[in-house]
Amino acid sequence: MVPDGVEIEVGGRDLAERHHRAIRALYDEVFSAPPFTWSSRHPTEHDALLSALRDDPTFGITVALRGNDLIGFAYGHRLPTNHGWWTGFPNPLPTAFTTEWEARTFALIDLAVTPSERAKGTGSALLSALLTTRPEHRAVLSVQPTALHTHEFYRRQGWHHLGTKGPLTDVIPPTWLLFTLDITPPT
């Protein structure tokens, strides 16, 4: 359910380009604050990642607007069959789970809602609008270990904790919790 006065838009490259600066600003605001671990290189890395993802034909994004103000976003892309998401676990995941095929897995890369708009349904509305447009069978995301409220948000949305990945070299933070969600039944 979309909160009163909030409009959710779903799209791809054009929508992301139109709101690029606002997405960057909200990303920095949300992820530079506790409980998230932040590095001075994150703004530059995020800008490069978002720009690269927009060129991916499987990229999808939802934005939440209150009037002309961006108050939230969620975006991701389809994982290629040769991705590295299933590596780096202390105990390897089952092959039946890690075997990929075209259109099996959607990776939710980022979801953020401005602090004043949280706990009103905006994050749920963004996530629902994005995932209902996806043809993939499942979704995956990673969350920093210290973001306990974020873990609980995803669990309430039906996501399941898959495991903890890491420690990873040259990644801040070096460990991440991965969550997964079935979004369409396999055929």
Side-chain angles (χ1 to χ4, degrees), residues 75-117:
Y75 60 82
H77 67 103
R78 178 179 301 155
L79 288 183
T81 57
N82 62 347
H83 67 82
W85 277 69
W86 311 134
T87 61
F89 286 87
N91 297 311
L93 299 172
T95 303
F97 183 85
T98 61
T99 300
E100 289 290 346
W101 56 82
E102 190 65 29
R104 183 174 192 198
T105 307
F106 175 75
L108 179 65
I109 301 301
D110 285 312
L111 183 150
V113 175
T114 193
S116 64
E117 296 286 342

mmCIF file of all heavy atoms in Angstrom, residues 75-117:
data_model
loop_
_atom_site.group_PDB
_atom_site.id
_atom_site.type_symbol
_atom_site.label_atom_id
_atom_site.label_comp_id
_atom_site.label_asym_id
_atom_site.label_seq_id
_atom_site.Cartn_x
_atom_site.Cartn_y
_atom_site.Cartn_z
ATOM 1 N N TYR A 75 16.491 -0.271 -6.637
ATOM 2 C CA TYR A 75 16.883 -0.671 -7.982
ATOM 3 C C TYR A 75 17.782 -1.904 -7.947
ATOM 4 O O TYR A 75 18.347 -2.265 -6.920
ATOM 5 C CB TYR A 75 17.574 0.467 -8.746
ATOM 6 C CG TYR A 75 18.831 0.990 -8.111
ATOM 7 C CD1 TYR A 75 20.047 0.340 -8.280
ATOM 8 C CD2 TYR A 75 18.805 2.157 -7.348
ATOM 9 C CE1 TYR A 75 21.198 0.833 -7.699
ATOM 10 C CE2 TYR A 75 19.950 2.651 -6.768
ATOM 11 C CZ TYR A 75 21.142 1.971 -6.953
ATOM 12 O OH TYR A 75 22.288 2.457 -6.365
ATOM 13 N N GLY A 76 17.869 -2.529 -9.109
ATOM 14 C CA GLY A 76 18.721 -3.706 -9.255
ATOM 15 C C GLY A 76 18.756 -4.166 -10.691
ATOM 16 O O GLY A 76 18.314 -3.453 -11.606
ATOM 17 N N HIS A 77 19.249 -5.376 -10.878
ATOM 18 C CA HIS A 77 19.401 -5.935 -12.222
ATOM 19 C C HIS A 77 19.436 -7.458 -12.133
ATOM 20 O O HIS A 77 19.601 -8.034 -11.065
ATOM 21 C CB HIS A 77 20.686 -5.416 -12.888
ATOM 22 C CG HIS A 77 21.930 -5.918 -12.211
ATOM 23 N ND1 HIS A 77 22.702 -6.927 -12.741
ATOM 24 C CD2 HIS A 77 22.510 -5.573 -11.029
ATOM 25 C CE1 HIS A 77 23.733 -7.153 -11.920
ATOM 26 N NE2 HIS A 77 23.624 -6.352 -10.873
ATOM 27 N N ARG A 78 19.296 -8.092 -13.267
ATOM 28 C CA ARG A 78 19.388 -9.545 -13.342
ATOM 29 C C ARG A 78 20.846 -9.962 -13.197
ATOM 30 O O ARG A 78 21.745 -9.363 -13.800
ATOM 31 C CB ARG A 78 18.865 -10.037 -14.687
ATOM 32 C CG ARG A 78 18.986 -11.543 -14.857
ATOM 33 C CD ARG A 78 18.433 -12.012 -16.176
ATOM 34 N NE ARG A 78 17.033 -11.634 -16.251
ATOM 35 C CZ ARG A 78 16.381 -11.448 -17.392
ATOM 36 N NH1 ARG A 78 16.996 -11.584 -18.546
ATOM 37 N NH2 ARG A 78 15.111 -11.106 -17.380
ATOM 38 N N LEU A 79 21.064 -11.000 -12.399
ATOM 39 C CA LEU A 79 22.427 -11.526 -12.273
ATOM 40 C C LEU A 79 22.789 -12.319 -13.518
ATOM 41 O O LEU A 79 21.998 -13.148 -13.975
ATOM 42 C CB LEU A 79 22.546 -12.447 -11.056
ATOM 43 C CG LEU A 79 22.516 -11.789 -9.692
ATOM 44 C CD1 LEU A 79 22.708 -12.845 -8.608
ATOM 45 C CD2 LEU A 79 23.581 -10.716 -9.565
ATOM 46 N N PRO A 80 23.979 -12.095 -14.061
ATOM 47 C CA PRO A 80 24.438 -12.938 -15.167
ATOM 48 C C PRO A 80 24.768 -14.334 -14.633
ATOM 49 O O PRO A 80 24.949 -14.527 -13.430
ATOM 50 C CB PRO A 80 25.694 -12.221 -15.673
ATOM 51 C CG PRO A 80 26.161 -11.406 -14.517
ATOM 52 C CD PRO A 80 24.953 -11.062 -13.701
ATOM 53 N N THR A 81 24.847 -15.288 -15.513
ATOM 54 C CA THR A 81 25.101 -16.663 -15.074
ATOM 55 C C THR A 81 26.492 -16.850 -14.476
ATOM 56 O O THR A 81 26.705 -17.792 -13.720
ATOM 57 C CB THR A 81 24.906 -17.656 -16.235
ATOM 58 O OG1 THR A 81 25.778 -17.283 -17.309
ATOM 59 C CG2 THR A 81 23.467 -17.656 -16.710
ATOM 60 N N ASN A 82 27.413 -15.956 -14.763
ATOM 61 C CA ASN A 82 28.793 -16.094 -14.264
ATOM 62 C C ASN A 82 29.124 -15.102 -13.152
ATOM 63 O O ASN A 82 30.263 -14.708 -12.979
ATOM 64 C CB ASN A 82 29.783 -15.917 -15.417
ATOM 65 C CG ASN A 82 29.685 -14.543 -16.049
ATOM 66 O OD1 ASN A 82 28.740 -13.795 -15.812
ATOM 67 N ND2 ASN A 82 30.667 -14.201 -16.852
ATOM 68 N N HIS A 83 28.151 -14.708 -12.348
ATOM 69 C CA HIS A 83 28.368 -13.741 -11.274
ATOM 70 C C HIS A 83 29.113 -14.390 -10.099
ATOM 71 O O HIS A 83 29.324 -15.590 -10.071
ATOM 72 C CB HIS A 83 27.030 -13.169 -10.798
ATOM 73 C CG HIS A 83 26.177 -14.192 -10.124
ATOM 74 N ND1 HIS A 83 26.352 -14.539 -8.811
ATOM 75 C CD2 HIS A 83 25.177 -14.959 -10.591
ATOM 76 C CE1 HIS A 83 25.488 -15.481 -8.483
ATOM 77 N NE2 HIS A 83 24.760 -15.758 -9.550
ATOM 78 N N GLY A 84 29.471 -13.588 -9.100
ATOM 79 C CA GLY A 84 30.205 -14.101 -7.950
ATOM 80 C C GLY A 84 29.449 -14.019 -6.634
ATOM 81 O O GLY A 84 30.055 -14.127 -5.571
ATOM 82 N N TRP A 85 28.138 -13.822 -6.686
ATOM 83 C CA TRP A 85 27.372 -13.664 -5.445
ATOM 84 C C TRP A 85 27.434 -14.890 -4.537
ATOM 85 O O TRP A 85 27.302 -14.763 -3.328
ATOM 86 C CB TRP A 85 25.907 -13.357 -5.766
ATOM 87 C CG TRP A 85 25.646 -11.909 -6.055
ATOM 88 C CD1 TRP A 85 26.062 -11.205 -7.147
ATOM 89 C CD2 TRP A 85 24.909 -10.996 -5.245
ATOM 90 N NE1 TRP A 85 25.618 -9.906 -7.071
ATOM 91 C CE2 TRP A 85 24.894 -9.758 -5.912
ATOM 92 C CE3 TRP A 85 24.239 -11.112 -4.031
ATOM 93 C CZ2 TRP A 85 24.260 -8.631 -5.398
ATOM 94 C CZ3 TRP A 85 23.594 -9.995 -3.530
ATOM 95 C CH2 TRP A 85 23.615 -8.760 -4.208
ATOM 96 N N TRP A 86 27.591 -16.073 -5.091
ATOM 97 C CA TRP A 86 27.514 -17.289 -4.260
ATOM 98 C C TRP A 86 28.875 -17.746 -3.766
ATOM 99 O O TRP A 86 28.990 -18.803 -3.154
ATOM 100 C CB TRP A 86 26.817 -18.421 -5.014
ATOM 101 C CG TRP A 86 25.519 -18.022 -5.647
ATOM 102 C CD1 TRP A 86 25.117 -18.322 -6.913
ATOM 103 C CD2 TRP A 86 24.446 -17.268 -5.062
ATOM 104 N NE1 TRP A 86 23.868 -17.794 -7.157
ATOM 105 C CE2 TRP A 86 23.432 -17.136 -6.027
ATOM 106 C CE3 TRP A 86 24.236 -16.673 -3.821
ATOM 107 C CZ2 TRP A 86 22.247 -16.453 -5.795
ATOM 108 C CZ3 TRP A 86 23.049 -15.986 -3.587
ATOM 109 C CH2 TRP A 86 22.076 -15.889 -4.569
ATOM 110 N N THR A 87 29.914 -16.957 -3.994
ATOM 111 C CA THR A 87 31.239 -17.295 -3.488
ATOM 112 C C THR A 87 31.502 -16.515 -2.203
ATOM 113 O O THR A 87 30.800 -15.557 -1.891
ATOM 114 C CB THR A 87 32.331 -16.955 -4.521
ATOM 115 O OG1 THR A 87 32.301 -15.539 -4.772
ATOM 116 C CG2 THR A 87 32.112 -17.710 -5.833
ATOM 117 N N GLY A 88 32.515 -16.928 -1.454
ATOM 118 C CA GLY A 88 32.918 -16.192 -0.265
ATOM 119 C C GLY A 88 32.173 -16.567 1.000
ATOM 120 O O GLY A 88 32.307 -15.890 2.017
ATOM 121 N N PHE A 89 31.382 -17.630 0.958
ATOM 122 C CA PHE A 89 30.705 -18.111 2.154
ATOM 123 C C PHE A 89 31.621 -19.088 2.886
ATOM 124 O O PHE A 89 32.272 -19.919 2.251
ATOM 125 C CB PHE A 89 29.398 -18.831 1.795
ATOM 126 C CG PHE A 89 28.299 -17.909 1.370
ATOM 127 C CD1 PHE A 89 28.176 -17.512 0.049
ATOM 128 C CD2 PHE A 89 27.392 -17.427 2.294
ATOM 129 C CE1 PHE A 89 27.168 -16.659 -0.345
ATOM 130 C CE2 PHE A 89 26.373 -16.574 1.911
ATOM 131 C CZ PHE A 89 26.257 -16.180 0.586
ATOM 132 N N PRO A 90 31.689 -19.021 4.222
ATOM 133 C CA PRO A 90 32.526 -19.966 4.966
ATOM 134 C C PRO A 90 32.154 -21.425 4.671
ATOM 135 O O PRO A 90 33.016 -22.273 4.558
ATOM 136 C CB PRO A 90 32.259 -19.626 6.434
ATOM 137 C CG PRO A 90 31.760 -18.223 6.421
ATOM 138 C CD PRO A 90 31.050 -18.054 5.108
ATOM 139 N N ASN A 91 30.859 -21.686 4.529
ATOM 140 C CA ASN A 91 30.375 -23.008 4.135
ATOM 141 C C ASN A 91 29.709 -22.865 2.777
ATOM 142 O O ASN A 91 28.728 -22.115 2.655
ATOM 143 C CB ASN A 91 29.368 -23.551 5.158
ATOM 144 C CG ASN A 91 30.009 -23.742 6.511
ATOM 145 O OD1 ASN A 91 31.075 -24.330 6.617
ATOM 146 N ND2 ASN A 91 29.374 -23.210 7.547
ATOM 147 N N PRO A 92 30.228 -23.536 1.758
ATOM 148 C CA PRO A 92 29.660 -23.380 0.406
ATOM 149 C C PRO A 92 28.156 -23.691 0.390
ATOM 150 O O PRO A 92 27.676 -24.565 1.112
ATOM 151 C CB PRO A 92 30.436 -24.393 -0.432
ATOM 152 C CG PRO A 92 31.714 -24.607 0.316
ATOM 153 C CD PRO A 92 31.362 -24.469 1.774
ATOM 154 N N LEU A 93 27.438 -22.953 -0.447
ATOM 155 C CA LEU A 93 26.007 -23.161 -0.610
ATOM 156 C C LEU A 93 25.753 -24.353 -1.530
ATOM 157 O O LEU A 93 26.600 -24.683 -2.363
ATOM 158 C CB LEU A 93 25.371 -21.901 -1.191
ATOM 159 C CG LEU A 93 25.511 -20.644 -0.343
ATOM 160 C CD1 LEU A 93 25.026 -19.422 -1.117
ATOM 161 C CD2 LEU A 93 24.744 -20.785 0.959
ATOM 162 N N PRO A 94 24.600 -24.995 -1.414
ATOM 163 C CA PRO A 94 24.297 -26.157 -2.265
ATOM 164 C C PRO A 94 24.312 -25.798 -3.747
ATOM 165 O O PRO A 94 23.832 -24.735 -4.145
ATOM 166 C CB PRO A 94 22.886 -26.569 -1.829
ATOM 167 C CG PRO A 94 22.661 -25.916 -0.515
ATOM 168 C CD PRO A 94 23.528 -24.693 -0.474
ATOM 169 N N THR A 95 24.822 -26.698 -4.556
ATOM 170 C CA THR A 95 24.908 -26.483 -6.002
ATOM 171 C C THR A 95 23.543 -26.235 -6.619
ATOM 172 O O THR A 95 23.406 -25.413 -7.525
ATOM 173 C CB THR A 95 25.589 -27.686 -6.680
ATOM 174 O OG1 THR A 95 26.876 -27.860 -6.084
ATOM 175 C CG2 THR A 95 25.749 -27.475 -8.171
ATOM 176 N N ALA A 96 22.525 -26.916 -6.140
ATOM 177 C CA ALA A 96 21.174 -26.708 -6.677
ATOM 178 C C ALA A 96 20.727 -25.259 -6.484
ATOM 179 O O ALA A 96 19.970 -24.727 -7.289
ATOM 180 C CB ALA A 96 20.183 -27.656 -6.012
ATOM 181 N N PHE A 97 21.209 -24.616 -5.438
ATOM 182 C CA PHE A 97 20.864 -23.220 -5.191
ATOM 183 C C PHE A 97 21.727 -22.282 -6.034
ATOM 184 O O PHE A 97 21.251 -21.289 -6.565
ATOM 185 C CB PHE A 97 21.024 -22.870 -3.705
ATOM 186 C CG PHE A 97 20.613 -21.462 -3.398
ATOM 187 C CD1 PHE A 97 19.279 -21.160 -3.156
ATOM 188 C CD2 PHE A 97 21.544 -20.433 -3.385
ATOM 189 C CE1 PHE A 97 18.887 -19.848 -2.901
ATOM 190 C CE2 PHE A 97 21.156 -19.130 -3.131
ATOM 191 C CZ PHE A 97 19.827 -18.842 -2.886
ATOM 192 N N THR A 98 23.013 -22.580 -6.155
ATOM 193 C CA THR A 98 23.943 -21.651 -6.802
ATOM 194 C C THR A 98 23.977 -21.767 -8.321
ATOM 195 O O THR A 98 24.495 -20.868 -8.987
ATOM 196 C CB THR A 98 25.372 -21.855 -6.261
ATOM 197 O OG1 THR A 98 25.802 -23.189 -6.549
ATOM 198 C CG2 THR A 98 25.422 -21.590 -4.768
ATOM 199 N N THR A 99 23.439 -22.833 -8.882
ATOM 200 C CA THR A 99 23.423 -22.975 -10.330
ATOM 201 C C THR A 99 22.492 -21.920 -10.920
ATOM 202 O O THR A 99 21.339 -21.797 -10.524
ATOM 203 C CB THR A 99 22.942 -24.380 -10.734
ATOM 204 O OG1 THR A 99 23.835 -25.337 -10.163
ATOM 205 C CG2 THR A 99 22.913 -24.530 -12.246
ATOM 206 N N GLU A 100 23.021 -21.134 -11.831
ATOM 207 C CA GLU A 100 22.250 -20.052 -12.441
ATOM 208 C C GLU A 100 21.867 -20.403 -13.870
ATOM 209 O O GLU A 100 22.546 -21.161 -14.546
ATOM 210 C CB GLU A 100 23.073 -18.759 -12.472
ATOM 211 C CG GLU A 100 23.285 -18.111 -11.135
ATOM 212 C CD GLU A 100 22.038 -17.507 -10.523
ATOM 213 O OE1 GLU A 100 21.006 -17.338 -11.222
ATOM 214 O OE2 GLU A 100 22.082 -17.205 -9.323
ATOM 215 N N TRP A 101 20.785 -19.834 -14.300
ATOM 216 C CA TRP A 101 20.391 -19.842 -15.694
ATOM 217 C C TRP A 101 19.824 -18.464 -16.004
ATOM 218 O O TRP A 101 19.539 -17.685 -15.090
ATOM 219 C CB TRP A 101 19.395 -20.959 -16.010
ATOM 220 C CG TRP A 101 18.154 -20.948 -15.170
ATOM 221 C CD1 TRP A 101 17.031 -20.184 -15.353
ATOM 222 C CD2 TRP A 101 17.913 -21.723 -13.992
ATOM 223 N NE1 TRP A 101 16.112 -20.440 -14.374
ATOM 224 C CE2 TRP A 101 16.614 -21.394 -13.532
ATOM 225 C CE3 TRP A 101 18.644 -22.676 -13.284
ATOM 226 C CZ2 TRP A 101 16.059 -21.960 -12.405
ATOM 227 C CZ3 TRP A 101 18.084 -23.239 -12.164
ATOM 228 C CH2 TRP A 101 16.806 -22.888 -11.741
ATOM 229 N N GLU A 102 19.713 -18.176 -17.277
ATOM 230 C CA GLU A 102 19.222 -16.865 -17.688
ATOM 231 C C GLU A 102 17.875 -16.587 -17.030
ATOM 232 O O GLU A 102 16.980 -17.413 -17.076
ATOM 233 C CB GLU A 102 19.086 -16.808 -19.215
ATOM 234 C CG GLU A 102 18.804 -15.441 -19.767
ATOM 235 C CD GLU A 102 19.942 -14.458 -19.535
ATOM 236 O OE1 GLU A 102 21.106 -14.868 -19.467
ATOM 237 O OE2 GLU A 102 19.642 -13.256 -19.423
ATOM 238 N N ALA A 103 17.759 -15.461 -16.391
ATOM 239 C CA ALA A 103 16.528 -14.984 -15.757
ATOM 240 C C ALA A 103 16.191 -15.705 -14.453
ATOM 241 O O ALA A 103 15.067 -15.649 -13.999
ATOM 242 C CB ALA A 103 15.341 -15.036 -16.708
ATOM 243 N N ARG A 104 17.168 -16.342 -13.807
ATOM 244 C CA ARG A 104 16.861 -16.990 -12.529
ATOM 245 C C ARG A 104 16.837 -15.988 -11.368
ATOM 246 O O ARG A 104 15.966 -16.061 -10.515
ATOM 247 C CB ARG A 104 17.870 -18.104 -12.210
ATOM 248 C CG ARG A 104 17.484 -18.818 -10.921
ATOM 249 C CD ARG A 104 18.320 -20.008 -10.597
ATOM 250 N NE ARG A 104 17.672 -20.756 -9.507
ATOM 251 C CZ ARG A 104 18.281 -21.644 -8.756
ATOM 252 N NH1 ARG A 104 19.554 -21.939 -8.968
ATOM 253 N NH2 ARG A 104 17.622 -22.261 -7.802
ATOM 254 N N THR A 105 17.825 -15.059 -11.315
ATOM 255 C CA THR A 105 18.000 -14.260 -10.107
ATOM 256 C C THR A 105 18.073 -12.765 -10.405
ATOM 257 O O THR A 105 18.828 -12.326 -11.272
ATOM 258 C CB THR A 105 19.289 -14.693 -9.372
ATOM 259 O OG1 THR A 105 19.258 -16.103 -9.160
ATOM 260 C CG2 THR A 105 19.434 -13.983 -8.041
ATOM 261 N N PHE A 106 17.301 -12.008 -9.647
ATOM 262 C CA PHE A 106 17.349 -10.551 -9.670
ATOM 263 C C PHE A 106 18.109 -10.099 -8.432
ATOM 264 O O PHE A 106 17.832 -10.560 -7.323
ATOM 265 C CB PHE A 106 15.927 -9.968 -9.633
ATOM 266 C CG PHE A 106 15.888 -8.472 -9.536
ATOM 267 C CD1 PHE A 106 16.169 -7.685 -10.641
ATOM 268 C CD2 PHE A 106 15.561 -7.839 -8.343
ATOM 269 C CE1 PHE A 106 16.123 -6.302 -10.556
ATOM 270 C CE2 PHE A 106 15.515 -6.451 -8.250
ATOM 271 C CZ PHE A 106 15.800 -5.684 -9.367
ATOM 272 N N ALA A 107 19.072 -9.204 -8.594
ATOM 273 C CA ALA A 107 19.832 -8.661 -7.471
ATOM 274 C C ALA A 107 19.297 -7.277 -7.133
ATOM 275 O O ALA A 107 19.364 -6.360 -7.959
ATOM 276 C CB ALA A 107 21.310 -8.573 -7.813
ATOM 277 N N LEU A 108 18.739 -7.152 -5.936
ATOM 278 C CA LEU A 108 18.346 -5.840 -5.432
ATOM 279 C C LEU A 108 19.618 -5.182 -4.918
ATOM 280 O O LEU A 108 20.205 -5.629 -3.944
ATOM 281 C CB LEU A 108 17.312 -5.975 -4.309
ATOM 282 C CG LEU A 108 16.853 -4.661 -3.683
ATOM 283 C CD1 LEU A 108 16.092 -3.804 -4.694
ATOM 284 C CD2 LEU A 108 16.000 -4.932 -2.452
ATOM 285 N N ILE A 109 20.057 -4.146 -5.581
ATOM 286 C CA ILE A 109 21.333 -3.511 -5.250
ATOM 287 C C ILE A 109 21.171 -2.497 -4.129
ATOM 288 O O ILE A 109 21.942 -2.492 -3.173
ATOM 289 C CB ILE A 109 21.964 -2.865 -6.502
ATOM 290 C CG1 ILE A 109 22.190 -3.915 -7.597
ATOM 291 C CG2 ILE A 109 23.254 -2.142 -6.147
ATOM 292 C CD1 ILE A 109 23.103 -5.076 -7.201
ATOM 293 N N ASP A 110 20.190 -1.631 -4.217
ATOM 294 C CA ASP A 110 19.994 -0.608 -3.189
ATOM 295 C C ASP A 110 18.524 -0.307 -3.012
ATOM 296 O O ASP A 110 17.760 -0.279 -3.987
ATOM 297 C CB ASP A 110 20.719 0.695 -3.555
ATOM 298 C CG ASP A 110 22.215 0.613 -3.356
ATOM 299 O OD1 ASP A 110 22.637 0.159 -2.277
ATOM 300 O OD2 ASP A 110 22.954 1.003 -4.273
ATOM 301 N N LEU A 111 18.155 -0.053 -1.767
ATOM 302 C CA LEU A 111 16.846 0.464 -1.405
ATOM 303 C C LEU A 111 17.096 1.464 -0.289
ATOM 304 O O LEU A 111 17.794 1.151 0.678
ATOM 305 C CB LEU A 111 15.916 -0.646 -0.912
ATOM 306 C CG LEU A 111 14.489 -0.206 -0.566
ATOM 307 C CD1 LEU A 111 13.512 -1.331 -0.818
ATOM 308 C CD2 LEU A 111 14.354 0.281 0.852
ATOM 309 N N ALA A 112 16.562 2.661 -0.433
ATOM 310 C CA ALA A 112 16.732 3.691 0.594
ATOM 311 C C ALA A 112 15.486 4.559 0.658
ATOM 312 O O ALA A 112 14.859 4.836 -0.367
ATOM 313 C CB ALA A 112 17.958 4.557 0.296
ATOM 314 N N VAL A 113 15.148 4.961 1.870
ATOM 315 C CA VAL A 113 14.039 5.876 2.117
ATOM 316 C C VAL A 113 14.559 6.950 3.064
ATOM 317 O O VAL A 113 15.253 6.641 4.042
ATOM 318 C CB VAL A 113 12.827 5.143 2.735
ATOM 319 C CG1 VAL A 113 11.720 6.128 3.103
ATOM 320 C CG2 VAL A 113 12.306 4.071 1.780
ATOM 321 N N THR A 114 14.231 8.199 2.772
ATOM 322 C CA THR A 114 14.673 9.287 3.631
ATOM 323 C C THR A 114 14.166 9.050 5.059
ATOM 324 O O THR A 114 13.065 8.540 5.251
ATOM 325 C CB THR A 114 14.215 10.652 3.058
ATOM 326 O OG1 THR A 114 14.901 11.685 3.717
ATOM 327 C CG2 THR A 114 12.733 10.854 3.171
ATOM 328 N N PRO A 115 14.971 9.363 6.062
ATOM 329 C CA PRO A 115 14.598 9.049 7.449
ATOM 330 C C PRO A 115 13.215 9.537 7.875
ATOM 331 O O PRO A 115 12.491 8.818 8.570
ATOM 332 C CB PRO A 115 15.706 9.716 8.269
ATOM 333 C CG PRO A 115 16.896 9.681 7.365
ATOM 334 C CD PRO A 115 16.327 9.924 5.985
ATOM 335 N N SER A 116 12.795 10.711 7.445
ATOM 336 C CA SER A 116 11.490 11.240 7.862
ATOM 337 C C SER A 116 10.314 10.489 7.259
ATOM 338 O O SER A 116 9.175 10.651 7.705
ATOM 339 C CB SER A 116 11.388 12.730 7.500
ATOM 340 O OG SER A 116 11.445 12.891 6.097
ATOM 341 N N GLU A 117 10.556 9.651 6.261
ATOM 342 C CA GLU A 117 9.487 8.906 5.589
ATOM 343 C C GLU A 117 9.491 7.415 5.934
ATOM 344 O O GLU A 117 8.708 6.657 5.380
ATOM 345 C CB GLU A 117 9.605 9.081 4.074
ATOM 346 C CG GLU A 117 9.395 10.498 3.592
ATOM 347 C CD GLU A 117 7.935 10.939 3.641
ATOM 348 O OE1 GLU A 117 7.022 10.091 3.722
ATOM 349 O OE2 GLU A 117 7.700 12.168 3.596
#
